[in-house]
Amino acid sequence: MDNLDKIIKNLSDNRDLPNDAFIALLQNNDADNTLFSAADLVRRKIYGVDVYIRGLIEFTNHCKNNCFYCGIRRDNKSAVRYRLTKEQILSCCTEGYLLGFRTFVLQGGEDNFYSDKTICDIVSSIREKFSDCALTLSIGEKSKSSYTAYYNAGATRYLLRHETSDEIHYQQLHPNSMSLQNRKRCLFDLKEIGYQVGSGFMVGSPYQTTDNIISDLRFLQQLNPDMIGIGPYITHAQTPFANFKSGSMALTLRLIAILRLIFPYALIPSTTALGTIHPSGRELGLKAGANVIMPNLSPAAVRKLYTLYENKICTGDEAAQSIKNLKKRVEATGYRIITDIGNAKKEI
Ligand code: SAH
């Protein structure tokens, strides 16, 4: 057996590898097909061919933070800003519900216009009206008491990518006002409160090394999240990183497969960013082990304005309204979209 094949078998059997084996796997494309098949086998054993869908509502693009990579950072003066009202958010959910969505994800910049009271009011209204649905928040770093309040109002899932688990790399991607320590504190607080937690990182972000990626995998092993979102970093011209190149699809797919083998039970989305760098990116993500897709439910008028990165897909099959086309594409890839609240399966 070839060395990489042995490494893949070892990873499938043990859900872990020594660092040098992870490095070999990350730096070679020779065994990609074997790696993707191994990941697909594991996902089929646990999730069959099911693909869970989440309706993504990007409800504000105002942000007090200034992350160097992000197109909606505070200092991007050319960003056209918007906020959705509670009524607008609820009507997105109504539309999504009719389309078959049973999970709504409220994502936004860190926007203090929405007080904890307002967020709790929006959360409880959604839960009241759509009692058979789950609600996920993705609104950044908050205090433990805020997270607790949202949880008590009915939000049971929270997405907060750690972005990078290396201190130096973290500071290369963020201004001094932000810290990896606080990001991690948030993630552990969320877990302690009882949320199903999602974390993750960008692939190919500026200054990222293979060692950084290994640290990301190690951090995820420590956190043991229910959901893991990764996607390629994509350059945005109105950021300090305008001259950096975007991350690659190949490395993102390899990492999805590796994550599936380390975390057989995880919910792993095939992300919008992956669909943005390649027309079949999301299908290829599914084949590499991903099992979640998050179509866009934001009102058409604001969808273009939530530009974390350039050329973000938002009007084609990415739109929740095109769910029929998406279903066909997913079926053509060998999987099936299901209308379900879609909790992570647990090891018995
Ligand atoms: N304010 C929320 C939501 C952030 S947007 C929070 O802090 O969690 C969601 C994710 O988009 C981020 O976590 C980041 O990983 C990703 N993202 C931001 N800019 C990006 C870029 N230029 N390319 C690819 N992904 C990006």
Side-chain angles (χ1 to χ4, degrees), residues 36 184 307 312:
F36 300 160
K184 288 187 173 172
T307 35
K312 190 180 130 213

Side-chain angles (χ1 to χ4, degrees), residues 63 65 67 69-72 107-110 138-141 158-163 178 183 200-202 229 231-236 239 273 306 308-310:
C63 193
N65 288 337
C67 308
Y69 46 84
C70 184
I72 63 166
Q107 188 179 83
E110 287 197 20
S138 178
I139 55 174
E141 297 173 26
Y158 205 102
L159 305 180
L160 185 80
R161 291 183 175 178
H162 65 278
E163 314 295 2
M178 297 178 74
R183 198 91 182 158
F201 56 94
M202 289 175 288
Y233 159 74
I234 303 175
T235 304
H236 190 294
T239 64
Y306 197 78
L308 305 176
Y309 45 81
E310 275 157 7

